[in-house]
Amino acid sequence: MSEISKRRTFAIISHPDAGKTTLTEKLLLFGGAIHLAGAVKAKKGGQSARSDWMEIEKARGISVTASVMTFEYGANTVNLLDTPGHKDFSEDTYRTLTAVDSAVMVLDGAKGIEEQTLKLFEVCRLRDTPIITFINKMDRDTKEPFELLDEIEKTLALNVCPITWPIGMGDRFRGCFNLVTDTLYLFDDGQGAKITEGQQFTGANDPKLDEHIPEAELIKFREEVEMVKAVYPPFDQQHYLEGHLTPVFFGSALNNFGVRELLQALCDMAPSPRPQPADPRIISPDEPKFTGFVFKIQANMDKNHRDRIAFVRICSGKYMRGMKVLHVRSGKTLSLNNPVLFLARERELAEEAWPGDIIGIPGHGHLRIGDALTEGEQLYFTGIPNFAPELFQRVRLEDPLKSKQLKAALEQLSEEGASQIFKPLDGSPWIIGVVGALQFDVIASRMAGEYGVKGSFEQVAFTNARWLKGDAAKIKEFCDKNKYNTAEDAHHHLAYLAPNAWHLDRVQKDWPEIEFLKTRENR
């Protein structure tokens, strides 16, 4: 098996509270990366979730930034990207999905497909990303399994193929039956923090099951298995890889039910690194020369060093520590001396890495989201979005003497892409723009904790932002006439800030020569 074919790089997507971070922890547990899984909200003195490393994540029990975890499982190297489920942090998730080859969609068995899951699924569909479905929380009262499968087919227009099947649900949940391997495991409840080997049986008709499962439940389970085999066609690898079919697994991440089967399926079914779209050509993973792109920036992962880490997805070639690469945007040569591999915030120096791997390049602002790194070729990776913010506020400092620290904090946090800053052309103070209101809480928490800057937010009279594209002379004329509503973002791109939708519509009609862009590619 080649190094490239060993790689499995995937993201986990879900609606908030479907159990995504818990499943991430259990995949790390079964992958041997950790030895004791932490709850999302840890009890005092307990273990907190490894993938949630920010203070605000630990306090609120939500993921607010994507994190990367690399571990070995069997012959495979697994790169797991945990993404925020909350819609207010969806920008980070959208960009993270450009860096993966497949996804695991986690559904709450009681709620089925929810709003944010649907949005993230549509992003995956745009890129034909193969999806494995994990229906979680079967140890609680849920919808009937057949109802959940119908919901996936009808809502997502996606064919389904059950790989495992639950035995009961809620208090009567006994375990999962693997329809492919014809094996069945019964587990003991309450052992979720550690791996325990459950009792194994062969086939749904194993007579030993009569000793462990009540007769009525066993009859129902066996009838359901026969129905599944009759109704659903066998797993078709090609249809899955093309994004038309999703294999479905049932389980309880909290209690480890179905997690091992899911991890094994990721290694057996999920694709190795796929070709990456770029301009002027598609990049194949087996090309000998190194290429990669930055899909995420994270500031202050180590508060003592005020560092910024650029997360780079390797697309082709082989990374070797100390190699020199071209930073396409600036035209400068970079020496990659200290890139790291991740387990959330923990790191180790990366001596070598292959297509599909995620490496972190420490720096102080020279790399941006969307930047391409190559061995000399001029190319840009496409489809890495920047979204126009929808909510706008200014920061009112408690200490006016900290204006320099405020500027540094806002600029560095905006590099991560979750928030954006605009400097109005009329000289008024910086404006922060975000997609979701919770981002303001994150910014306030991080400004105080990481930069020592305290302040409050105040509303500004803007509801929309659009980047300007067109003839330079026309754009200058527009800015001269609209300087109170025009600003530069952190990368010196001009944007129009509209007080409301009516003004935005009016200005678009008055200036037909200019494009007002809601999204902008990072390049």
Side-chain angles (χ1 to χ4, degrees):
M1 183 184 281
S2 73
E3 290 295 336
I4 297 174
S5 62
K6 287 180 183 178
R7 264 59 188 175
R8 298 292 182 270
T9 303
F10 69 97
I12 301 183
I13 60 173
S14 78
H15 195 82
D17 299 324
K20 173 180 57 60
T21 301
T22 302
L23 178 60
T24 300
E25 291 289 303
K26 297 312 176 70
L27 289 170
L28 293 175
L29 180 68
F30 277 87
I34 58 176
H35 300 292
L36 188 69
V40 177
K41 276 193 175 179
K43 295 178 181 176
K44 189 171 181 181
Q47 186 92 352
S48 62
R50 187 66 57 101
S51 55
D52 287 347
W53 55 270
M54 283 187 187
E55 292 306 319
I56 191 170
E57 291 181 309
K58 293 173 184 175
R60 295 199 181 196
I62 58 171
S63 299
V64 304
T65 184
S67 56
V68 179
M69 285 137 285
T70 298
F71 60 93
E72 305 293 323
Y73 186 73
N76 294 98
T77 298
V78 178
N79 298 299
L80 189 166
L81 282 70
D82 181 32
T83 62
H86 198 287
K87 64 182 176 61
D88 285 6
F89 309 103
S90 56
E91 274 201 84
D92 202 19
T93 301
Y94 291 150
R95 279 191 286 268
T96 298
L97 289 174
T98 67
V100 301
D101 302 301
S102 64
V104 172
M105 178 171 64
V106 182
L107 303 182
D108 182 326
K111 297 174 182 175
I113 296 167
E114 299 175 85
E115 178 189 8
Q116 185 66 5
T117 315
L118 186 56
K119 286 182 180 177
L120 296 172
F121 169 78
E122 292 301 337
V123 176
C124 292
R125 171 159 275 168
L126 286 172
R127 299 178 65 87
D128 294 324
T129 305
I131 292 173
I132 292 176
T133 300
F134 184 76
I135 297 179
N136 194 22
K137 303 187 181 181
M138 295 305 295
D139 55 322
R140 304 181 185 180
D141 288 329
T142 66
K143 297 180 180 180
E144 287 293 332
F146 285 109
E147 183 185 347
L148 288 162
L149 295 178
D150 286 345
E151 188 176 339
I152 294 169
E153 287 193 314
K154 290 173 183 172
T155 307
L156 304 182
L158 194 63
N159 293 327
V160 298
C161 177
I163 303 296
T164 66
W165 194 257
I167 307 168
M169 67 175 76
D171 293 339
R172 302 183 313 282
F173 181 58
R174 312 287 181 185
C176 293
F177 174 61
N178 191 312
L179 292 147
V180 176
T181 62
D182 207 32
T183 53
L184 184 151
Y185 288 92
L186 299 183
F187 292 91
D188 296 323
D189 194 7
Q191 300 297 320
K194 298 179 182 178
I195 297 175
T196 56
E197 297 298 332
Q199 298 177 71
Q200 180 178 342
F201 302 86
T202 303
N205 295 313
D206 190 325
K208 291 186 230 170
L209 286 172
D210 296 346
E211 303 168 22
H212 300 275
I213 302 175
E215 183 181 4
E217 292 179 27
L218 196 54
I219 290 171
K220 183 174 185 284
F221 160 67
R222 286 169 173 160
E223 287 175 350
E224 287 177 344
V225 168
E226 291 305 313
M227 196 180 302
V228 168
K229 289 179 177 178
V231 170
Y232 297 99
F235 175 68
D236 186 314
Q237 177 79 4
Q238 193 57 36
H239 282 186
Y240 158 67
L241 292 176
E242 291 169 355
H244 304 313
L245 175 145
T246 180
V248 180
F249 294 77
F250 292 85
S252 163
L254 190 64
N255 292 303
N256 299 343
F257 290 127
V259 176
R260 191 198 305 270
E261 288 84 354
L262 176 64
L263 183 54
Q264 189 60 53
L266 281 160
C267 294
D268 295 342
M269 299 175 178
S272 55
R274 304 196 301 168
Q276 291 291 326
D279 181 12
R281 66 184 188 84
I282 292 173
I283 304 299
S284 174
D286 56 8
E287 293 179 20
K289 290 194 172 180
F290 174 91
T291 63
F293 66 89
V294 178
F295 67 93
K296 173 183 171 59
I297 303 283
Q298 186 67 55
N300 301 330
M301 290 184 80
D302 183 346
K303 288 189 284 188
N304 296 325
H305 294 94
R306 281 278 178 267
D307 66 345
R308 271 163 276 178
I309 296 285
F311 289 65
V312 175
R313 155 74 192 232
I314 299 176
C315 302
S316 67
K318 178 184 179 182
Y319 155 78
M320 295 287 290
R321 187 179 172 198
M323 73 184 296
K324 289 181 168 51
V325 296
L326 172 68
H327 180 217
V328 174
R329 177 173 54 81
S330 69
K332 295 179 179 177
T333 298
L334 297 181
S335 293
L336 303 183
N337 294 319
N338 333 294
V340 293
L341 295 171
F342 298 99
L343 178 60
R345 187 164 54 175
E346 297 171 20
R347 323 171 189 174
E348 63 178 44
L349 278 175
E351 297 294 337
E352 61 180 38
W354 301 84
D357 286 341
I358 310 294
I359 59 173
I361 300 178
H364 296 280
H366 59 286
L367 290 175
R368 296 181 194 164
I369 290 169
D371 280 357
L373 303 176
T374 73
E375 285 194 67
E377 187 175 357
Q378 295 283 335
L379 59 83
Y380 297 91
F381 289 91
T382 57
I384 305 164
N386 216 356
F387 298 94
E390 299 167 5
L391 302 169
F392 303 86
Q393 292 188 3
R394 279 196 180 98
V395 179
R396 183 183 291 277
L397 279 172
E398 284 185 12
D399 181 357
L401 296 177
K402 294 227 169 179
S403 58
K404 194 184 232 181
Q405 290 95 320
L406 172 66
K407 181 174 182 289
L410 294 180
E411 285 179 340
Q412 289 185 23
L413 293 177
S414 74
E415 286 174 6
E416 298 178 6
S419 63
Q420 296 180 51
I421 55 173
F422 298 91
K423 183 63 175 170
L425 299 188
D426 66 0
S428 53
W430 290 95
I431 292 169
I432 303 173
V434 299
V435 171
L438 262 178
Q439 282 288 358
F440 288 124
D441 292 347
V442 174
I443 292 168
S445 169
R446 294 187 63 190
M447 281 198 315
E450 297 172 22
Y451 297 91
V453 177
K454 292 185 179 179
S456 57
F457 289 106
E458 59 183 25
Q459 295 290 336
V460 292
F462 302 120
T463 61
N464 293 276
R466 295 292 184 270
W467 286 284
L468 305 177
K469 182 181 178 184
D471 177 73
K474 270 290 174 192
I475 289 178
K476 184 178 185 310
E477 180 188 351
F478 175 85
C479 292
D480 289 342
K481 292 183 177 179
N482 296 276
K483 68 177 183 179
Y484 296 106
N485 289 80
T486 315
E488 269 193 349
D489 68 11
H491 303 313
H492 307 294
H493 296 286
L494 289 164
Y496 172 69
L497 304 180
N500 53 49
W502 183 88
H503 276 89
L504 178 60
D505 185 56
R506 181 77 261 165
V507 82
Q508 288 175 309
K509 287 176 179 173
D510 290 345
W511 296 84
E513 308 92 339
I514 296 175
E515 287 185 72
F516 294 80
L517 304 177
K518 191 173 183 181
T519 61
R520 181 177 59 78
E521 283 219 351
N522 286 279
R523 56 156 61 191

